[in-house]
Amino acid sequence: MKRKTLIALAALIPLVMIAIALISLPEPDFEVVAEGDGFELRRYTAFNVAQVQVMAEFETASAQAFEPLVHYIQGGNNGGRNLPMMAPVNQQPLADGAQRGGSEPNWLVQFVMPKEYPMSYLPAPVDDRVVLQLVPSRLMAVKRYRGGWGEDRYRKHEAELLNAIYASGQSVIGEPIFARYNAPFVPGPLRRNEVLVEVADPGPTAIGPD
């Protein structure tokens, strides 16, 4: 009986881990100002990030950036402080398409910093690959989807979002962002993913061509 109980408890561990991972982490503050055809417009309040620039393919960029970013929030900073984790983890191609040699794309991977910590309170990273940056308030068009983190799935939703934005008469600013909200061990169907891209802020919240 004791052996069966231990086996049953062991089988529950992955489910408990998934349940913990699905608990909503704090996110940057935003207001949904309008709904489009297949997307929504969010006006984000400014927030801070810790970011790393990497040379990698789409599906390996975040893995390369995780080590220095996780090290930073787990005490790899002046003062050795642990910082709370927030969501999402953002991945975005560099706006200028710069290369550091080779033919792989250049990516920026960001951890969102706790919103109750002003920039002056955030400890300096000990790893010079990690840079603290203020992301200003901006208007973002967002498309949410579930599933794995593969590039083909992402590109499909990215294209759908961009097409919907252009059809609405909005003007895109900058590069699309791939946002991940869950831990890697969460099954694909349960993962929350988003594509975000900044759009010109006209002031009014109406969506659609003139």
Side-chain angles (χ1 to χ4, degrees), residues 3-209:
R3 177 181 174 81
K4 291 182 178 179
T5 301
L6 291 174
I7 292 174
L9 289 174
L12 287 174
I13 290 175
L15 298 178
V16 172
M17 293 178 67
I18 291 172
I20 293 173
L22 288 175
I23 296 174
S24 296
L25 291 172
E27 301 176 23
D29 292 329
F30 65 84
E31 175 190 8
V32 177
V33 297
E35 298 284 346
D37 184 9
F39 69 96
E40 64 183 18
L41 283 182
R42 299 176 186 169
R43 184 168 285 110
Y44 278 85
T45 301
F47 59 92
N48 297 317
V49 297
Q51 61 188 28
V52 171
Q53 184 177 324
V54 297
M55 289 295 298
E57 296 295 341
F58 176 91
E59 295 183 13
T60 58
S62 64
Q64 288 193 25
F66 259 56
E67 185 273 327
L69 288 172
V70 170
H71 183 245
Y72 170 69
I73 67 172
Q74 291 184 348
N77 53 68
N78 292 341
R81 283 188 278 166
N82 289 327
L83 302 173
M85 187 70 179
M86 288 187 64
V89 174
N90 292 328
Q91 177 178 326
Q92 182 180 32
L94 290 186
D96 59 5
Q99 300 290 316
R100 291 182 182 169
S103 58
E104 293 179 323
N106 228 350
W107 296 96
L108 196 62
V109 180
Q110 299 175 331
F111 275 15
V112 178
M113 293 292 95
K115 55 189 174 184
E116 65 270 21
Y117 292 5
M119 182 67 79
S120 59
Y121 185 80
L122 290 172
V126 296
D127 187 331
D128 60 10
R129 291 174 295 175
V130 180
V131 176
L132 301 179
Q133 182 69 43
L134 172 67
V135 177
S137 176
R138 53 190 180 171
L139 185 65
M140 306 293 287
V142 185
K143 185 179 190 298
R144 182 181 298 194
Y145 69 97
R146 299 275 181 186
W149 292 342
E151 183 173 9
D152 288 346
R153 180 184 295 272
Y154 168 78
R155 295 298 183 191
K156 171 180 178 292
H157 291 283
E158 177 190 70
E160 291 175 352
L161 173 62
L162 293 175
N163 289 338
I165 293 171
Y166 296 138
S168 73
Q170 304 290 306
S171 298
V172 171
I173 301 175
E175 300 291 336
I177 298 168
F178 178 28
R180 312 177 199 201
Y181 288 81
N182 302 109
F185 57 79
V186 174
L190 299 180
R191 292 178 185 173
R192 172 190 169 190
N193 310 309
E194 291 180 343
V195 187
L196 306 92
V197 68
E198 185 177 3
V199 295
D201 191 346
T205 58
I207 296 179

